[in-house]
Amino acid sequence: MNTNRRRYLIAYDIRKPGRLRRICKLMEANGERLQYSVFICDLTRSELVHLRAAGEGIMNLDEDSVVIVDLGEVGEDRFTFVGRRAVLPTQGAQIV
């Protein structure tokens, strides 16, 4: 396991359908969907910087919002599920 990776919970609220689709595709390429607009991403610091820059390039910063929550090192169990348990990723996305 790469100790340089950290697990991030990323959620978004995008106001326009076109931007929403683009953000969704970006997130699907870099993480695992936990809920509709909530993703878990295992990223290095560099990958996080690139992901954020790409997202900001898509967003209207006056209308849209994204929250990024650092959950710590990959492998630390920080989730409690009530009801159907979501499947969390076992390894991080690779940005090429």
Side-chain angles (χ1 to χ4, degrees), residues 78-93:
R78 298 183 183 271
F79 290 86
T80 300
F81 292 94
V82 177
R84 188 178 67 85
R85 186 189 194 315
V87 178
L88 297 177
T90 57
Q91 64 186 55

Side-chain angles (χ1 to χ4, degrees), residues 5 11 16-17 22 24 44 50 62-64 74 85-86 91:
R5 290 192 178 279
K16 299 285 177 153
R22 290 174 63 201
C24 182
T44 65
H50 289 290
D62 292 327
E63 295 181 7
D64 303 330
V74 173
R85 186 189 194 315
Q91 64 186 55

